[in-house]
Amino acid sequence: MELFEKLYDEHEKVHVRFVGFTTYDTRYDFGIVYTNMFFGKPLVVCMQTGRSALLDPKDIEDIDFLQKAFHITEVRQAEDLALFFNEELPTAPFQTQYE
């Protein structure tokens, strides 16, 4: 008997974008992975902390979610991130993968 039951094992060539920017308070370095997995949400990885989140337009509007996902204590910093992500991430609609 196998110890683990494999749920999926996908191979995919993906588009990855690396972007660094500064705001009034902070420097940010992100890797953004565009893939067909994760319901069409890009995987955003903070290269400084290793924290990551799958973000869609509704997630970007949720300042509390951004603060928790990237361990940001200041509301202004999360608002700055929301502005950046809102301009830079695609607005592709949410894709249902499971019925």
Side-chain angles (χ1 to χ4, degrees), residues 44-64:
V44 179
V45 180
C46 176
M47 304 305 288
Q48 296 165 328
T49 65
R51 303 281 307 169
S52 62
L54 298 168
L55 298 179
D56 69 13
K58 287 186 180 183
D59 298 325
I60 294 168
E61 294 173 5
D62 188 343
I63 299 301
D64 290 333

Side-chain angles (χ1 to χ4, degrees), residues 23-41:
T23 64
Y24 296 109
D25 306 318
T26 310
R27 174 188 170 137
Y28 296 100
D29 297 283
F30 286 103
I32 304 170
V33 180
Y34 300 95
T35 173
N36 292 320
M37 299 291 291
F38 313 123
F39 308 102
K41 295 182 180 185

Side-chain angles (χ1 to χ4, degrees), residues 17 20-21 30 38 60 71-73 75 98:
R17 176 181 177 197
F21 63 96
F30 286 103
F38 313 123
I60 294 168
H71 282 233
I72 298 170
T73 56
V75 172
Y98 306 106

